[in-house]
Short mmCIF file of all heavy atoms in Angstrom, two decimals:
data_model
loop_
_atom_site.label_atom_id
_atom_site.label_comp_id
_atom_site.label_asym_id
_atom_site.label_seq_id
_atom_site.Cartn_x
_atom_site.Cartn_y
_atom_site.Cartn_z
N GLY A 1 64.29 -16.25 -29.94
CA GLY A 1 65.42 -15.37 -29.75
C GLY A 1 65.48 -14.18 -30.68
O GLY A 1 66.45 -13.41 -30.61
N LYS A 2 64.48 -14.00 -31.53
CA LYS A 2 64.47 -12.90 -32.48
C LYS A 2 63.23 -12.03 -32.27
O LYS A 2 62.25 -12.46 -31.68
CB LYS A 2 64.51 -13.42 -33.92
CG LYS A 2 65.72 -14.27 -34.24
CD LYS A 2 65.76 -14.66 -35.70
CE LYS A 2 66.03 -13.45 -36.59
NZ LYS A 2 66.15 -13.83 -38.02
N GLU A 3 63.29 -10.81 -32.76
CA GLU A 3 62.17 -9.90 -32.66
C GLU A 3 61.10 -10.25 -33.68
O GLU A 3 61.38 -10.83 -34.73
CB GLU A 3 62.63 -8.45 -32.86
CG GLU A 3 63.53 -7.94 -31.75
CD GLU A 3 63.82 -6.46 -31.89
OE1 GLU A 3 63.42 -5.85 -32.90
OE2 GLU A 3 64.45 -5.91 -30.97
N ARG A 4 59.87 -9.88 -33.35
CA ARG A 4 58.76 -10.06 -34.27
C ARG A 4 58.94 -9.16 -35.49
O ARG A 4 59.32 -7.99 -35.37
CB ARG A 4 57.46 -9.72 -33.55
CG ARG A 4 56.19 -9.93 -34.34
CD ARG A 4 54.98 -9.77 -33.43
NE ARG A 4 55.12 -8.59 -32.57
CZ ARG A 4 54.27 -8.24 -31.63
NH1 ARG A 4 53.19 -8.98 -31.38
NH2 ARG A 4 54.48 -7.16 -30.89
N GLU A 5 58.67 -9.69 -36.68
CA GLU A 5 58.83 -8.93 -37.90
C GLU A 5 57.62 -9.07 -38.80
O GLU A 5 56.96 -10.11 -38.84
CB GLU A 5 60.09 -9.38 -38.65
CG GLU A 5 60.05 -10.82 -39.12
CD GLU A 5 61.29 -11.22 -39.90
OE1 GLU A 5 62.21 -10.38 -40.07
OE2 GLU A 5 61.36 -12.38 -40.33
N GLY A 6 57.34 -8.00 -39.53
CA GLY A 6 56.26 -8.03 -40.49
C GLY A 6 56.62 -8.88 -41.69
O GLY A 6 57.77 -8.87 -42.15
N VAL A 7 55.65 -9.60 -42.21
CA VAL A 7 55.83 -10.46 -43.37
C VAL A 7 55.07 -9.91 -44.57
O VAL A 7 55.65 -9.70 -45.64
CB VAL A 7 55.36 -11.90 -43.06
CG1 VAL A 7 55.45 -12.78 -44.30
CG2 VAL A 7 56.19 -12.49 -41.92
N ALA A 8 53.78 -9.69 -44.40
CA ALA A 8 52.94 -9.21 -45.49
C ALA A 8 51.72 -8.54 -44.90
O ALA A 8 51.20 -8.99 -43.88
CB ALA A 8 52.51 -10.36 -46.41
N VAL A 9 51.25 -7.48 -45.53
CA VAL A 9 50.10 -6.74 -45.03
C VAL A 9 49.17 -6.37 -46.18
O VAL A 9 49.60 -6.29 -47.34
CB VAL A 9 50.51 -5.46 -44.26
CG1 VAL A 9 51.26 -5.84 -42.99
CG2 VAL A 9 51.37 -4.55 -45.14
N ILE A 10 47.91 -6.14 -45.85
CA ILE A 10 46.90 -5.74 -46.82
C ILE A 10 45.94 -4.78 -46.13
O ILE A 10 45.69 -4.90 -44.92
CB ILE A 10 46.15 -6.97 -47.39
CG1 ILE A 10 45.24 -6.59 -48.54
CG2 ILE A 10 45.38 -7.69 -46.29
CD1 ILE A 10 44.70 -7.81 -49.31
N ASP A 11 45.41 -3.81 -46.87
CA ASP A 11 44.43 -2.91 -46.29
C ASP A 11 43.06 -3.11 -46.91
O ASP A 11 42.88 -3.92 -47.83
CB ASP A 11 44.90 -1.44 -46.36
CG ASP A 11 44.96 -0.87 -47.77
OD1 ASP A 11 44.23 -1.34 -48.67
OD2 ASP A 11 45.74 0.09 -47.97
N SER A 12 42.08 -2.38 -46.40
CA SER A 12 40.70 -2.58 -46.83
C SER A 12 40.44 -2.11 -48.26
O SER A 12 39.35 -2.38 -48.79
CB SER A 12 39.73 -1.91 -45.87
OG SER A 12 40.12 -0.59 -45.57
N ASN A 13 41.40 -1.43 -48.86
CA ASN A 13 41.32 -1.08 -50.27
C ASN A 13 42.01 -2.10 -51.17
O ASN A 13 42.00 -1.94 -52.39
CB ASN A 13 41.92 0.30 -50.51
CG ASN A 13 41.12 1.41 -49.87
OD1 ASN A 13 39.89 1.36 -49.85
ND2 ASN A 13 41.81 2.42 -49.35
N GLY A 14 42.63 -3.11 -50.57
CA GLY A 14 43.30 -4.14 -51.34
C GLY A 14 44.76 -3.89 -51.61
O GLY A 14 45.40 -4.69 -52.31
N ASN A 15 45.32 -2.83 -51.07
CA ASN A 15 46.75 -2.57 -51.24
C ASN A 15 47.57 -3.53 -50.38
O ASN A 15 47.21 -3.79 -49.24
CB ASN A 15 47.08 -1.13 -50.85
CG ASN A 15 46.32 -0.13 -51.68
OD1 ASN A 15 46.40 -0.15 -52.91
ND2 ASN A 15 45.59 0.76 -51.03
N THR A 16 48.65 -4.03 -50.93
CA THR A 16 49.51 -4.98 -50.23
C THR A 16 50.93 -4.48 -50.14
O THR A 16 51.37 -3.62 -50.90
CB THR A 16 49.51 -6.35 -50.93
OG1 THR A 16 50.00 -6.20 -52.27
CG2 THR A 16 48.10 -6.94 -50.98
N ASN A 17 51.66 -5.04 -49.17
CA ASN A 17 53.08 -4.78 -49.04
C ASN A 17 53.72 -6.03 -48.45
O ASN A 17 53.11 -6.72 -47.65
CB ASN A 17 53.34 -3.57 -48.14
CG ASN A 17 54.78 -3.11 -48.19
OD1 ASN A 17 55.46 -3.28 -49.19
ND2 ASN A 17 55.26 -2.52 -47.10
N TYR A 18 54.95 -6.30 -48.88
CA TYR A 18 55.67 -7.49 -48.46
C TYR A 18 57.06 -7.14 -47.97
O TYR A 18 57.71 -6.25 -48.51
CB TYR A 18 55.80 -8.48 -49.61
CG TYR A 18 54.50 -9.01 -50.13
CD1 TYR A 18 53.81 -8.34 -51.14
CD2 TYR A 18 53.95 -10.18 -49.62
CE1 TYR A 18 52.60 -8.82 -51.61
CE2 TYR A 18 52.74 -10.67 -50.10
CZ TYR A 18 52.08 -9.98 -51.09
OH TYR A 18 50.88 -10.47 -51.56
N ALA A 19 57.50 -7.88 -46.97
CA ALA A 19 58.88 -7.78 -46.56
C ALA A 19 59.78 -8.35 -47.65
O ALA A 19 59.42 -9.33 -48.32
CB ALA A 19 59.10 -8.52 -45.25
N ALA A 20 60.94 -7.77 -47.82
CA ALA A 20 61.83 -8.19 -48.90
C ALA A 20 62.14 -9.69 -48.90
O ALA A 20 62.18 -10.30 -49.99
CB ALA A 20 63.13 -7.37 -48.84
N PRO A 21 62.37 -10.32 -47.74
CA PRO A 21 62.72 -11.75 -47.79
C PRO A 21 61.64 -12.67 -48.34
O PRO A 21 61.95 -13.80 -48.74
CB PRO A 21 63.01 -12.09 -46.32
CG PRO A 21 63.36 -10.78 -45.69
CD PRO A 21 62.49 -9.78 -46.38
N VAL A 22 60.38 -12.21 -48.37
CA VAL A 22 59.30 -13.07 -48.84
C VAL A 22 58.68 -12.60 -50.14
O VAL A 22 57.86 -13.33 -50.72
CB VAL A 22 58.20 -13.23 -47.76
CG1 VAL A 22 58.81 -13.63 -46.43
CG2 VAL A 22 57.38 -11.95 -47.62
N ARG A 23 59.04 -11.44 -50.60
CA ARG A 23 58.45 -10.90 -51.82
C ARG A 23 58.73 -11.83 -53.00
O ARG A 23 59.87 -12.26 -53.20
CB ARG A 23 58.97 -9.49 -52.10
CG ARG A 23 58.28 -8.80 -53.25
CD ARG A 23 58.66 -7.32 -53.34
NE ARG A 23 58.08 -6.55 -52.24
CZ ARG A 23 58.79 -5.80 -51.40
NH1 ARG A 23 60.10 -5.72 -51.51
NH2 ARG A 23 58.17 -5.14 -50.43
N GLY A 24 57.69 -12.16 -53.73
CA GLY A 24 57.81 -13.07 -54.84
C GLY A 24 57.55 -14.51 -54.48
O GLY A 24 57.36 -15.35 -55.38
N ARG A 25 57.54 -14.84 -53.19
CA ARG A 25 57.27 -16.19 -52.73
C ARG A 25 55.95 -16.31 -51.99
O ARG A 25 55.29 -17.35 -52.06
CB ARG A 25 58.39 -16.69 -51.82
CG ARG A 25 59.76 -16.74 -52.48
CD ARG A 25 60.79 -17.42 -51.58
NE ARG A 25 61.02 -16.68 -50.35
CZ ARG A 25 60.83 -17.16 -49.12
NH1 ARG A 25 60.41 -18.41 -48.96
NH2 ARG A 25 61.08 -16.41 -48.06
N PHE A 26 55.57 -15.26 -51.26
CA PHE A 26 54.35 -15.26 -50.45
C PHE A 26 53.31 -14.34 -51.08
O PHE A 26 53.65 -13.32 -51.69
CB PHE A 26 54.63 -14.77 -49.04
CG PHE A 26 55.48 -15.67 -48.19
CD1 PHE A 26 56.11 -16.79 -48.70
CD2 PHE A 26 55.65 -15.37 -46.84
CE1 PHE A 26 56.90 -17.61 -47.90
CE2 PHE A 26 56.43 -16.18 -46.03
CZ PHE A 26 57.06 -17.30 -46.55
N THR A 27 52.04 -14.68 -50.88
CA THR A 27 50.94 -13.85 -51.35
C THR A 27 49.91 -13.70 -50.24
O THR A 27 49.41 -14.69 -49.71
CB THR A 27 50.26 -14.45 -52.59
OG1 THR A 27 51.22 -14.61 -53.64
CG2 THR A 27 49.15 -13.53 -53.08
N ILE A 28 49.58 -12.45 -49.91
CA ILE A 28 48.55 -12.18 -48.91
C ILE A 28 47.25 -11.84 -49.63
O ILE A 28 47.25 -11.17 -50.67
CB ILE A 28 48.97 -11.05 -47.95
CG1 ILE A 28 47.98 -10.93 -46.79
CG2 ILE A 28 49.13 -9.73 -48.69
CD1 ILE A 28 48.46 -9.99 -45.67
N SER A 29 46.13 -12.30 -49.08
CA SER A 29 44.83 -12.00 -49.65
C SER A 29 43.78 -11.99 -48.55
O SER A 29 44.01 -12.49 -47.45
CB SER A 29 44.45 -13.02 -50.74
OG SER A 29 44.37 -14.33 -50.21
N HIS A 30 42.63 -11.40 -48.85
CA HIS A 30 41.54 -11.31 -47.89
C HIS A 30 40.24 -11.62 -48.59
O HIS A 30 39.93 -11.06 -49.65
CB HIS A 30 41.49 -9.91 -47.27
CG HIS A 30 40.47 -9.79 -46.18
ND1 HIS A 30 39.20 -9.31 -46.41
CD2 HIS A 30 40.55 -10.07 -44.86
CE1 HIS A 30 38.53 -9.32 -45.27
NE2 HIS A 30 39.32 -9.78 -44.32
N ASP A 31 39.46 -12.51 -48.00
CA ASP A 31 38.15 -12.87 -48.51
C ASP A 31 37.11 -12.13 -47.68
O ASP A 31 36.85 -12.48 -46.52
CB ASP A 31 37.94 -14.38 -48.41
CG ASP A 31 36.64 -14.83 -49.03
OD1 ASP A 31 35.70 -14.02 -49.13
OD2 ASP A 31 36.56 -16.02 -49.41
N ASN A 32 36.53 -11.09 -48.26
CA ASN A 32 35.58 -10.27 -47.51
C ASN A 32 34.33 -11.04 -47.12
O ASN A 32 33.75 -10.79 -46.06
CB ASN A 32 35.20 -9.03 -48.33
CG ASN A 32 36.34 -8.06 -48.50
OD1 ASN A 32 37.18 -7.91 -47.62
ND2 ASN A 32 36.37 -7.38 -49.63
N SER A 33 33.91 -11.96 -47.95
CA SER A 33 32.67 -12.69 -47.67
C SER A 33 32.81 -13.62 -46.48
O SER A 33 31.81 -13.93 -45.82
CB SER A 33 32.22 -13.47 -48.90
OG SER A 33 33.13 -14.52 -49.20
N GLN A 34 34.02 -14.08 -46.20
CA GLN A 34 34.25 -14.99 -45.09
C GLN A 34 35.10 -14.39 -43.98
O GLN A 34 35.44 -15.10 -43.02
CB GLN A 34 34.91 -16.28 -45.60
CG GLN A 34 34.07 -17.04 -46.61
CD GLN A 34 34.62 -18.41 -46.91
OE1 GLN A 34 34.95 -19.17 -46.00
NE2 GLN A 34 34.71 -18.73 -48.19
N ASN A 35 35.44 -13.12 -44.09
CA ASN A 35 36.25 -12.43 -43.08
C ASN A 35 37.51 -13.22 -42.76
O ASN A 35 37.87 -13.39 -41.59
CB ASN A 35 35.44 -12.19 -41.81
CG ASN A 35 34.27 -11.27 -42.03
OD1 ASN A 35 34.38 -10.27 -42.74
ND2 ASN A 35 33.13 -11.59 -41.43
N THR A 36 38.19 -13.66 -43.79
CA THR A 36 39.35 -14.52 -43.63
C THR A 36 40.56 -13.96 -44.36
O THR A 36 40.47 -13.60 -45.54
CB THR A 36 39.06 -15.94 -44.12
OG1 THR A 36 37.93 -16.46 -43.42
CG2 THR A 36 40.25 -16.84 -43.89
N LEU A 37 41.66 -13.89 -43.65
CA LEU A 37 42.94 -13.48 -44.19
C LEU A 37 43.76 -14.72 -44.51
O LEU A 37 43.77 -15.68 -43.73
CB LEU A 37 43.68 -12.62 -43.17
CG LEU A 37 45.03 -12.03 -43.57
CD1 LEU A 37 44.82 -10.89 -44.56
CD2 LEU A 37 45.78 -11.55 -42.34
N TYR A 38 44.45 -14.70 -45.65
CA TYR A 38 45.26 -15.84 -46.07
C TYR A 38 46.69 -15.41 -46.32
O TYR A 38 46.97 -14.27 -46.69
CB TYR A 38 44.71 -16.44 -47.36
CG TYR A 38 43.32 -17.00 -47.25
CD1 TYR A 38 42.22 -16.25 -47.64
CD2 TYR A 38 43.10 -18.28 -46.75
CE1 TYR A 38 40.94 -16.76 -47.55
CE2 TYR A 38 41.83 -18.80 -46.65
CZ TYR A 38 40.75 -18.04 -47.05
OH TYR A 38 39.48 -18.55 -46.96
N LEU A 39 47.59 -16.36 -46.16
CA LEU A 39 48.97 -16.19 -46.59
C LEU A 39 49.38 -17.45 -47.33
O LEU A 39 49.55 -18.51 -46.71
CB LEU A 39 49.91 -15.93 -45.41
CG LEU A 39 51.35 -15.61 -45.79
CD1 LEU A 39 51.44 -14.26 -46.50
CD2 LEU A 39 52.26 -15.62 -44.56
N GLN A 40 49.52 -17.34 -48.64
CA GLN A 40 50.01 -18.44 -49.45
C GLN A 40 51.53 -18.35 -49.48
O GLN A 40 52.08 -17.35 -49.94
CB GLN A 40 49.44 -18.35 -50.87
CG GLN A 40 50.00 -19.39 -51.83
CD GLN A 40 49.63 -20.81 -51.44
OE1 GLN A 40 48.45 -21.10 -51.20
NE2 GLN A 40 50.61 -21.69 -51.35
N MET A 41 52.19 -19.38 -49.00
CA MET A 41 53.64 -19.41 -48.89
C MET A 41 54.17 -20.49 -49.82
O MET A 41 53.86 -21.67 -49.65
CB MET A 41 54.08 -19.67 -47.45
CG MET A 41 53.51 -18.68 -46.45
SD MET A 41 54.16 -18.93 -44.77
CE MET A 41 53.44 -20.53 -44.40
#
């Protein structure tokens, strides 16, 4: 019943951004060697 919302993003330079409700609790990361995106919550 709710719209899709951004949580956390990262770019190919390693810059990150977080939505206010999750900032400080969630961490986004990317492993280039395994082409894998992670979200630690």
Side-chain angles (χ1 to χ4, degrees):
K2 301 185 68 177
E3 293 188 354
R4 183 171 45 184
E5 63 178 0
V7 176
V9 294
I10 188 169
D11 68 26
S12 48
N13 293 323
N15 301 304
T16 60
N17 191 29
Y18 297 88
V22 309
R23 187 170 290 124
R25 299 188 296 121
F26 292 8
T27 302
I28 189 170
S29 62
H30 185 265
D31 185 337
N32 292 327
S33 67
Q34 299 190 48
N35 297 318
T36 303
L37 183 73
Y38 298 97
L39 185 68
Q40 175 65 51
M41 304 185 293

